[in-house]
């Protein structure tokens, strides 16, 4: 039996830990705010209050958030928040998908899964508590039905097929639950859960199946190897009715590539396929980065900022920490929102992401994927 002394110690320990975490959270906010961009870009940041934290699996939690005035966060199903965490003396930014349905009155939450060796996700999971404030940007992202409507105009959509790998089901469960309430589409989920891992949102998916047996189908993908994916897609599309389904894919690059290739082979048009990435694109030719910090000048309109970029830090992180209002969303070279124009100097980019050849020829680089190789001047277009 636990002695009163032990209990007192553990209570003191708990209290001290909570105090440290609260202070840490506030230090984070304070230091972040000292680096807040000076322009209207600041308006796109917000502080959100964590109202509840739920365990989704032993390795994943959902953080329920609300605006400081207690109003509902406005977002589209399938979007994500870019969350800032102050850790090890600097601000880190990571994108997390919102898992809740985009329905009035539904509590808003984003989901974080533990990453082996991952700093930011693990810090959020281990140290953030209900009542703390979190600084976030967004919601952002085009993995939405609204984007499909923009792209396809009035083309009839009767069915949507979702392909998810592991925690790639997070934005998809938000889309499915929202669409079951707001549309008449038939929805099918094909989900691969890596061997030995619990299924994220398994209970919620079961409940949706029970509530909508005529409109929602759920099938597990037992093996995500190329042959199995091809076989699944061949079978599904050979049974296809006259209406062409929309397809949403979320998961690691190898999974997305396999699904995309199989879809291409059965004749699905690219315009009907939407992908969401959780990982960075493959790294282009590696180069040796300079040991010394490089000085970059960032111009936006009439304003100029000078920042030092230490080895290993991206132009985006250094610029934001130095107060330059560099646009950004995904932080993984996917969305293209952080594109800047190089006016002088040289950078190495891990990836050019969605930049076209023409944009690259005009000196555009992705700030979230780029490191300076020399003194540089860049412009925010
Ligand atoms: S922030 Fe999305 S590509 Fe850089």
């Amino acid at each position: 039996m636990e002695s009163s002394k032990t209990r007192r110690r553990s209570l003191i320990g708990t209290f001290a830990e909570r105090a440290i975490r609260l202070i840490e959270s506030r230090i984070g906010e304070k230091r972040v705010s000292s680096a807040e961009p000076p322009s209207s870009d600041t308006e796109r940041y917000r502080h959100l209050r964590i109202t509840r934290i739920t365990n989704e699996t032993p390795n994943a939690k959902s953080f329920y958030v609300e605006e400081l005035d207690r109003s509902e966060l406005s977002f589209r199903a399938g979007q994500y928040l870019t969350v800032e965490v102050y850790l090890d003396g600097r601000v880190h930014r990571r994108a997390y998908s919102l898992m809740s349905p985009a329905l009035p009155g539904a509590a808003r939450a984003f989901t974080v899964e533990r990453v082996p060796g991952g700093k930011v996700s693990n810090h959020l999971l281990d140290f953030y508590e209900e009542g703390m404030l979190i600084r976030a940007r967004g919601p952002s992202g085009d993995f939405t039905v609204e984007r499909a409507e923009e792209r396809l105009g009035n083309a009839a959509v009767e069915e949507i097929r979702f392909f998810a790998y592991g925690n790639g089901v997070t934005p998809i469960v938000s889309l499915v639950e929202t669409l079951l309430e707001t549309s008449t589409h038939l929805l099918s989920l094909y989900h691969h859960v890596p061997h030995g891992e619990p299924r994220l949102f398994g209970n919620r998916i079961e409940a949706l199946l029970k509530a909508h047996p005529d409109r929602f189908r759920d099938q597990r993908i037992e093996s995500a190897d190329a042959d199995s994916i091809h076989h699944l897609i061949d079978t599904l599309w050979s049974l296809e009715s006259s209406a062409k389904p929309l397809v949403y894919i979320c998961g690691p690059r190898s999974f997305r590539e396999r699904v995309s290739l199989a879809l291409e082979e059965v004749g699905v048009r690219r315009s009907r396929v939407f992908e969401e990435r959780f990982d960075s694109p493959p790294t282009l030719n590696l180069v040796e980065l300079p040991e010394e910090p490089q000085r970059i000048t960032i111009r936006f309109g009439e304003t100029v900022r000078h920042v030092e970029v230490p080895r290993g830090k991206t132009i985006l992180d250094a610029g934001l920490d130095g107060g330059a209002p560099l646009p950004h969303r995904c932080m993984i070279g996917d969305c293209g929102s952080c594109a800047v124009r190089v006016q002088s100097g040289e950078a190495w980019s891990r990836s050019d992401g969605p930049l076209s050849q023409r944009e690259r020829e005009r000196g555009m680089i992705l700030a979230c994927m780029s490191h300076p190789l020399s003194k540089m001047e860049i412009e925010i277009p």
Side-chain angles (χ1 to χ4, degrees):
M1 192 178 162
E2 193 184 29
S3 72
S4 61
K5 198 170 164 190
T6 317
R7 211 164 40 237
R8 209 164 42 243
R9 264 205 210 122
S10 73
L11 281 173
I12 290 167
T14 308
F15 178 78
E17 279 163 24
R18 287 173 67 90
I20 288 166
R21 287 170 201 169
L22 281 166
I23 290 165
E24 186 175 26
S25 160
R26 289 186 183 134
I27 289 170
E29 284 159 32
K30 190 167 181 301
R31 297 200 188 173
V32 171
S33 62
S34 71
E36 276 179 6
S39 76
S40 61
D41 208 47
T42 306
E43 289 157 22
R44 293 185 221 143
Y45 279 90
R46 65 184 82 218
H47 281 99
L48 300 172
R49 184 183 297 108
I50 301 173
T51 57
R52 187 157 51 102
I53 300 174
T54 56
N55 292 317
E56 299 293 352
T57 69
N59 283 326
K61 292 180 183 176
S62 289
F63 293 76
Y64 287 80
V65 290
E66 64 179 11
E67 302 274 14
L68 291 191
D69 64 1
R70 300 196 182 281
S71 64
E72 209 166 71
L73 177 70
S74 167
F75 79 109
R76 293 174 169 183
Q79 289 192 310
Y80 57 82
L81 286 173
T82 307
V83 171
E84 287 195 343
V85 170
Y86 188 77
L87 181 62
D88 294 342
R90 52 164 288 216
V91 179
H92 299 257
R93 301 169 183 89
R94 294 287 185 279
Y96 295 103
S97 288
L98 288 148
M99 64 76 152
S100 22
L103 298 171
R108 293 359 192 177
F110 63 91
T111 302
V112 180
E113 190 168 56
R114 193 169 293 283
V115 180
K119 273 189 175 182
V120 179
S121 295
N122 298 354
H123 185 75
L124 280 166
L125 290 169
D126 293 337
F127 294 109
Y128 276 66
E129 296 185 346
E130 290 173 14
M132 283 183 169
L133 300 184
I134 207 157
R135 193 169 132 97
R137 180 190 175 99
S140 323
D142 290 332
F143 194 61
T144 62
V145 169
E146 289 81 356
R147 177 76 185 98
E149 285 165 357
E150 282 166 26
R151 194 190 280 181
L152 298 172
N154 293 329
V157 175
E158 287 177 15
E159 185 181 357
I160 305 181
R161 293 176 179 168
F162 299 94
F163 290 84
Y165 184 109
N167 65 1
V169 76
T170 306
I172 286 177
V173 82
S174 166
L175 281 160
V176 166
E177 195 166 341
T178 305
L179 288 167
L180 285 171
E181 292 300 324
T182 58
S183 79
T184 55
H185 302 321
L186 285 177
L187 308 177
S188 307
L189 169 61
Y190 304 95
H191 188 193
H192 175 72
V193 181
H195 182 67
E197 288 185 17
R199 188 184 197 189
L200 190 58
F201 306 121
N203 292 340
R204 190 166 151 201
I205 291 166
E206 284 296 316
L208 291 172
L209 273 174
K210 280 201 184 112
H212 303 273
D214 300 332
R215 288 191 44 220
F216 179 42
R217 228 175 5 193
D218 171 41
Q219 182 178 329
R220 296 284 283 273
I221 304 177
E222 291 309 327
S223 168
D225 63 49
D227 286 347
S228 307
I229 298 279
H230 269 83
H231 179 68
L232 171 67
I233 286 176
D234 271 351
T235 312
L236 290 172
W237 263 260
S238 67
L239 304 172
E240 192 185 334
S241 63
S242 54
K244 309 232 175 299
L246 282 188
V247 181
Y248 285 71
I249 313 168
C250 188
R253 185 163 50 93
S254 57
F255 176 76
R256 295 193 318 272
E257 283 175 357
R258 283 171 200 159
V259 175
S260 298
L261 189 64
L263 289 169
E264 210 177 298
E265 286 177 8
V266 294
V268 177
R269 288 200 180 163
R270 273 308 299 169
S271 60
R272 302 189 77 83
V273 179
F274 296 82
E275 286 187 38
E276 182 72 321
R277 289 185 6 204
F278 284 180
D279 48 1
S280 295
T283 299
L284 300 175
N285 316 322
L286 276 174
V287 300
E288 190 64 33
L289 297 175
E291 290 290 338
E292 296 299 313
Q294 300 299 311
R295 185 176 168 82
I296 58 173
T297 301
I298 305 173
R299 297 183 188 284
F300 42 105
E302 298 298 302
T303 314
V304 176
R305 280 284 154 104
H306 302 283
V307 297
E308 297 277 316
V309 189
R311 181 185 162 96
K313 200 167 188 176
T314 63
I315 290 174
L316 180 64
D317 277 332
L320 290 172
D321 292 351
L326 288 158
H328 61 281
R329 294 194 316 206
C330 70
M331 312 301 294
I332 56 168
D334 187 44
C335 69
S337 65
C338 66
V340 292
R341 184 173 296 113
V342 177
Q343 294 183 315
S344 67
E346 214 187 332
W348 170 71
S349 298
R350 270 182 67 194
S351 162
D352 293 322
L355 292 178
S356 65
Q357 188 173 347
R358 187 142 181 265
E359 286 170 318
R360 294 199 302 273
E361 284 166 4
R362 283 168 44 217
M364 303 296 282
I365 57 170
L366 295 179
C368 74
M369 292 282 111
S370 302
H371 303 262
L373 294 174
S374 66
K375 188 175 164 189
M376 292 182 74
E377 271 190 41
I378 61 171
E379 179 194 28
I380 302 174

